[in-house]
Amino acid sequence: QVQLVESGGGLVKPGGSLRLSCAASGFTFSDYYMSWIRQAPGKGLEWVSYISSSGSTIYYADSVKGRFTISRDNAKNSLYLQMNSLRAEDTAVYYCAREYCSSTSCYPNAFDIWGQGTMVTVSS
Amino acid sequence: QSVLTQPPSVSGAPGQRVTISCTGSSSNIGAGYDVHWYQQLPGTAPKLLIYGNSNRPSGVPDRFSGSKSGTSASLAITGLQAEDEADYYCQSYDSSLFYVFGTGTKVTVL
């Protein structure tokens, strides 16, 4: 069964740090680009960060650049998001998501597999 | 603030057709980048509904269709059903912002 399972969320004080993990199963993780996407309570979706299949290419949203670091361990089928200098506005459900590949093409910014999400709350 | 604008809400009676617009600009949809659509049921992760402007992943009913023209895209739902009540988001690539989502539209089945 193709699956993504996030973990590592929780309550943290402003300025604190948190590391999210995303465990992949049921597919060849090393073949796929991955992203983190977040959703603040009652708000819309916001793309956070992207990493290529090898990890050599990385992009961040301006809102998290310099504070968040995405990484992956293909040997462990895992994706990570290190979040530093957290702010109240980072409070959200964080999803990891896999790029969609049809039988003929891949669409790096279309996401067909999502995790269940992990809640991050930044509050004093 | 999202660069892709959607109407906050649309509604329709069961069996009717509703459409959701997604308006972008010359740096995203108008530049020729693909538009994708997602359905998010309450309390769940989004589900890919349409990819590459008008293609449906396996398992998505053909009641859902997508189109793109100029700087805008649209999602149409025909034969509206109660289980279609959800939030819908468009998504594309922007040359300055990388991946961008629409503001989201809540579909209500009357």
Side-chain angles (χ1 to χ4, degrees):
Chain A
Q1 181 186 0
V2 176
Q3 195 174 9
L4 296 171
V5 178
E6 301 97 337
S7 61
L11 175 63
V12 62
K13 288 181 169 53
S17 298
L18 215 52
R19 189 194 194 206
L20 305 184
S21 298
C22 171
S25 59
F27 64 98
T28 305
F29 179 70
S30 59
D31 284 348
Y32 288 86
Y33 296 179
M34 300 291 296
S35 280
W36 286 97
I37 295 153
R38 68 184 180 184
Q39 186 170 35
K43 301 297 185 183
L45 299 169
E46 180 188 15
W47 168 79
V48 173
S49 184
Y50 151 104
I51 187 167
S52 62
S53 53
S54 66
S56 61
T57 302
I58 286 172
Y59 295 103
Y60 298 99
D62 288 343
S63 57
V64 306
K65 203 173 295 183
R67 301 187 299 122
F68 289 12
T69 302
I70 191 172
S71 62
R72 65 190 295 163
D73 185 335
N74 287 340
K76 294 184 177 180
N77 294 327
S78 293
L79 177 71
Y80 306 101
L81 187 68
Q82 177 66 43
M83 304 186 296
N84 299 331
S85 303
L86 283 162
R87 307 166 180 167
E89 54 264 36
D90 295 319
T91 294
V93 173
Y94 284 73
Y95 297 100
C96 61
R98 185 190 82 170
E99 66 162 339
Y100 174 67
C101 289
S102 69
S103 57
T104 56
S105 302
C106 287
Y107 296 78
N109 70 329
F111 308 112
D112 68 331
I113 303 298
W114 297 63
Q116 85 287 355
T118 187
M119 183 70 205
V120 172
T121 303
V122 184
S123 174
S124 55
Chain B
Q1 187 171 353
S2 177
V3 297
L4 302 181
T5 302
Q6 300 178 231
S9 64
V10 300
S11 61
Q16 282 190 331
R17 179 179 187 269
V18 298
T19 61
I20 301 169
S21 61
C22 173
T23 302
S25 67
S26 58
S27 63
N28 41 69
I29 299 174
Y33 297 115
D34 285 338
V35 178
H36 318 295
W37 291 90
Y38 299 87
Q39 177 194 61
Q40 187 176 31
L41 299 170
T44 69
K47 170 189 174 183
L48 181 64
L49 212 55
I50 297 287
Y51 69 94
N53 306 314
S54 59
N55 303 291
R56 286 185 306 277
S58 174
V60 174
D62 59 6
R63 302 186 294 105
F64 296 93
S65 62
S67 63
K68 187 182 93 166
S69 178
T71 58
S72 295
S74 292
L75 174 72
I77 310 174
T78 57
L80 194 64
Q81 299 181 5
E83 61 257 36
D84 299 333
E85 192 159 284
D87 293 325
Y88 292 81
Y89 295 90
C90 61
Q91 185 214 347
S92 187
Y93 174 88
D94 184 276
S95 56
S96 298
L97 302 174
F98 208 66
Y99 296 163
V100 289
F101 284 94
T103 49
T105 298
K106 181 175 181 58
V107 170
T108 301
V109 182
L110 301 172

